[in-house]
Amino acid sequence: MSSVDVDPGADRTRGDADETPRRRYELEDLGFDEVPKKYRKFYRRWNGPGDTIAPNEALCPVCKVIIRSPRELRAGDRLYCMACMTRVRIVAGENGGLETETLY
Amino acid sequence: MSGSGIDDVHALEPEDFIEEVHSFEHWFEAVEGYLKGLDHGHLPDVAEALLTAEERDRLIATFCSYAVAETAALEASSGLIAIAPNRHAKIFLSTQTVDEGRHVEVMLHRLRELGVPDPEAEVERRAGPSVRNLRKKILQLVEAHEWDAAIFAQNVALETMEYTVFRAHARTADPITRDLLERVLRDERRHIGFGENELGRRIREDKKRRLWLGTVKSELDSLVLQTFEEAMEEIGVPRWDRPSLGRDYLETVNRLGLV
């Protein structure tokens, strides 16, 4: 998973209050076998509290799988967890980091 | 969206995502990833560990209770198809029914692998009382056509408990049991997600329904807790470690606003 370029465009479907370009990420299949093959690169297993979550990743609050995006995440972004069928939104956490909340 | 060239799954429209993840085709392609080539629910080349007579007996008792829980989920999920309020829920429950049928089968087979000659008679004789009561309660809700309450009892309470207990058990289990449980857990993720999201959508703007579900939850809490404690006792989780294991259930009901 490496950062390859920046995305200068605002996103139509997601919150983009910060207009500075986002880093983009080349996703590869990390062996997450709980979704159809074509979606595997968008997910990986969580290895517990010591696991470093990258700027393009978020922890699904329902099933604790790491959701991966091809773009750096920001508050207001919407993600899908296909492992448990949950829609989540990225929100600013109290400690300044990013957190997730469920969107039913 | 077919083929392997998907740039960003998160750019899907919400309706397309819901359509996709509830489909039979999605389920089939998902389970293919972790169920292909197994021998009764576990990898065929995993060697049986040497268990003491006491360890084997404890494991047999544990699988007897698991089999009752999975049978409850099989009976309930199949019964719920008829009263599901929409096509997505009906199709998803048809896939859950298949998952639960597989769980019952592999757990009964695990009992055979552990030397039990008549697994169903053993289950009848040794399954814990709390899990039997929970099964009765869930089936009563299904028979009464109480969709929200039955989904809560099965896909939130029972499935979250199974998810938590199986994860805890897999950490210390013999290699065959661990492999079997880890593959069951992959199914459980979908089941708990379906329950939370289905109820979340239904109570989002219906305060009365949320209040009523809160009452259902309160009525079920002691039974869920007893069943949970019974399972923790069977798999030998120390008492000091149990509160953290109950966190998943509490987090779910908190997210749903059922407190």
Side-chain angles (χ1 to χ4, degrees):
Chain A
M1 181 184 67
S2 59
S3 174
V4 291
D5 58 14
V6 294
D7 177 5
D11 192 295
R12 286 178 290 112
T13 59
R14 297 177 248 178
D16 243 346
D18 180 352
E19 293 186 359
T20 55
R22 299 187 189 215
R23 274 182 288 171
R24 289 194 67 85
Y25 294 79
E26 187 75 39
L27 301 181
E28 54 194 58
D29 186 340
L30 297 178
F32 186 78
D33 61 3
E34 298 178 34
V35 295
K37 271 186 187 162
K38 55 183 179 268
Y39 302 124
R40 286 185 186 173
K41 65 183 179 182
F42 298 104
Y43 305 95
R44 71 169 174 88
R45 294 194 195 293
W46 182 48
N47 296 313
D51 192 343
T52 303
I53 297 179
N56 67 320
E57 296 180 333
L59 183 67
C60 174
V62 174
C63 73
K64 309 293 188 279
V65 155
I66 299 279
I67 308 169
R68 308 169 73 218
S69 167
R71 296 153 37 106
E72 173 191 349
L73 295 173
R74 292 187 182 165
D77 286 353
R78 183 187 66 206
L79 299 173
Y80 296 122
C81 179
M82 282 196 158
C84 72
M85 312 190 300
T86 298
R87 297 166 58 206
V88 302
R89 178 167 49 210
I90 303 295
V91 293
E94 286 176 7
N95 61 1
L98 296 176
E99 295 176 358
T100 50
E101 66 177 24
T102 51
L103 281 173
Y104 297 126
Chain B
M1 284 302 290
S2 62
S4 58
I6 294 165
D7 295 328
D8 188 357
V9 70
H10 309 298
L12 278 174
E13 291 300 326
E15 311 81 60
D16 294 335
F17 169 74
I18 287 173
E19 181 81 26
E20 166 76 14
V21 293
H22 287 82
S23 73
F24 202 89
E25 181 156 323
H26 180 87
W27 169 84
F28 192 77
E29 290 180 23
V31 299
E32 201 177 21
Y34 58 90
L35 295 183
K36 204 171 176 184
L38 301 183
D39 178 4
H40 293 94
H42 59 79
L43 289 171
D45 53 354
V46 182
E48 189 71 81
L50 282 175
L51 299 171
T52 65
E54 190 187 338
E55 286 168 340
R56 183 178 297 267
D57 190 63
R58 184 187 275 258
L59 189 55
I60 288 169
T62 301
F63 268 97
C64 286
S65 292
Y66 288 174
V68 169
E70 295 294 348
T71 302
L74 170 63
E75 292 165 341
S77 52
S78 56
L80 282 165
I81 294 172
I83 59 165
N86 56 61
R87 172 176 58 87
H88 290 142
K90 283 181 190 292
I91 291 177
F92 177 81
L93 283 166
S94 76
T95 67
Q96 184 173 347
T97 301
V98 177
D99 290 336
E100 307 297 2
R102 183 183 83 81
H103 299 172
V104 172
E105 184 174 275
V106 299
M107 287 180 178
L108 292 175
H109 192 268
R110 184 73 186 121
L111 286 169
R112 274 190 209 99
E113 290 172 340
L114 292 167
V116 175
D118 185 349
E120 285 172 78
E122 192 80 358
V123 170
E124 195 55 43
R125 195 168 65 83
R126 300 193 61 185
S130 299
V131 72
R132 291 174 200 262
N133 289 336
L134 187 58
R135 176 185 178 187
K136 268 187 211 157
K137 180 67 184 172
I138 293 171
L139 294 181
Q140 280 168 2
L141 293 171
V142 175
E143 282 162 18
H145 288 196
E146 293 279 6
W147 171 256
D148 296 306
I151 287 292
F152 180 83
Q154 174 183 261
N155 286 69
V156 175
L158 176 65
E159 295 285 344
T160 304
M161 192 172 58
E162 287 181 345
Y163 187 64
T164 306
V165 170
F166 293 168
R167 257 187 321 171
H169 189 182
R171 286 204 298 260
T172 57
D174 65 273
I176 290 181
T177 299
R178 180 168 60 240
D179 191 59
L180 184 153
L181 290 176
E182 284 177 348
R183 289 168 203 282
V184 169
L185 280 165
R186 288 163 162 92
D187 295 333
E188 306 294 15
R189 271 197 237 279
R190 288 190 301 276
H191 305 166
I192 58 172
F194 170 76
E196 179 169 339
N197 284 285
E198 170 68 13
L199 291 177
R201 279 190 287 273
R202 287 172 66 80
I203 65 179
R204 186 175 46 196
E205 287 162 7
D206 190 337
K207 193 177 171 188
K208 273 171 86 175
R209 197 191 298 268
R210 186 166 68 242
L211 288 172
W212 181 73
L213 256 188
T215 310
V216 172
K217 175 207 156 280
S218 300
E219 288 171 4
L220 278 169
D221 272 352
S222 62
L223 189 50
V224 171
L225 189 65
Q226 282 166 21
T227 312
F228 186 74
E229 284 293 322
E230 199 174 84
M232 290 287 133
E233 200 67 44
E234 278 174 348
I235 61 174
V237 174
R239 284 196 176 276
W240 54 263
D241 202 18
R242 293 179 196 178
S244 63
L245 292 171
R247 199 169 45 212
D248 288 335
Y249 177 65
L250 293 176
E251 283 180 357
T252 305
V253 296
N254 271 331
R255 282 193 299 270
L256 287 169
L258 302 179
V259 287

